[in-house]
């Protein structure tokens, strides 16, 4: 049996596993947007054009997957801030490479 066939029989490769975690349209948009630094929920809503329900779900997912940190500031007015974790920041070079690829091929 060839090594390609053996690898295919072992299940998804690391690329497929990675895309499963970050590959939805909204997850990518939010992760890319947070590269610029911490943002409030409403700032993310405006900059991503996501509706509140979608953005809330995506941020919860990204927080659960440890790509995003959530910080609540309880002073009036109450504000929720989101930022990339170390794991999330490690994607920045990946986004840079994808942008370079897109400029050449798309």
């Amino acid at each position: 049996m060839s090594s390609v066939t053996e690898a295919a029989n072992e299940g998804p490769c690391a690329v497929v596993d990675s895309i499963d975690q970050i590959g939805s349209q909204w997850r990518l948009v939010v992760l890319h947007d947070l590269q610029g630094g911490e943002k409030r929920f409403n700032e993310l809503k405006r900059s991503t054009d996501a509706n509140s329900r979608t953005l809330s779900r995506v941020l919860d997912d990204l927080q659960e997957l440890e790509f995003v940190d959530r910080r609540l500031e309880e002073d009036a007015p109450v504000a929720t801030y989101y930022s990339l974790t170390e794991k999330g920041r490690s994607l920045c070079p990946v986004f840079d490479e994808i942008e370079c690829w897109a400029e050449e091929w798309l």
Side-chain angles (χ1 to χ4, degrees), residues 4 7 11 13-14 18 24 29 33 35 38 40 42 50 54-55 64-65 72 74-75 78-80 86 93:
V4 173
C13 67
S18 300
S24 79
V29 167
D33 202 47
Q35 288 184 98
E38 183 178 70
R40 292 174 67 159
N42 285 333
T54 298
L55 183 57
E64 185 177 317
L65 293 166
L72 184 63
E74 295 185 16
D75 297 333
V78 174
T80 306
E86 182 179 349

Side-chain angles (χ1 to χ4, degrees), residues 18-32 54 57-59 61-62 65 95:
S18 300
I19 297 301
D20 282 345
Q21 286 202 1
I22 63 168
S24 79
Q25 171 192 352
W26 290 112
R27 285 182 187 178
L28 289 169
V29 167
V30 169
L31 288 167
H32 188 266
T54 298
R57 180 184 47 80
V58 168
L59 287 166
D61 290 347
L62 290 172
L65 293 166
F95 282 117

Side-chain angles (χ1 to χ4, degrees), residues 34-51:
L34 285 174
Q35 288 184 98
E38 183 178 70
K39 290 192 175 184
R40 292 174 67 159
F41 183 87
N42 285 333
E43 290 175 307
L44 281 168
K45 188 177 165 192
R46 276 191 302 277
S47 62
T48 63
D49 269 344
N51 65 45

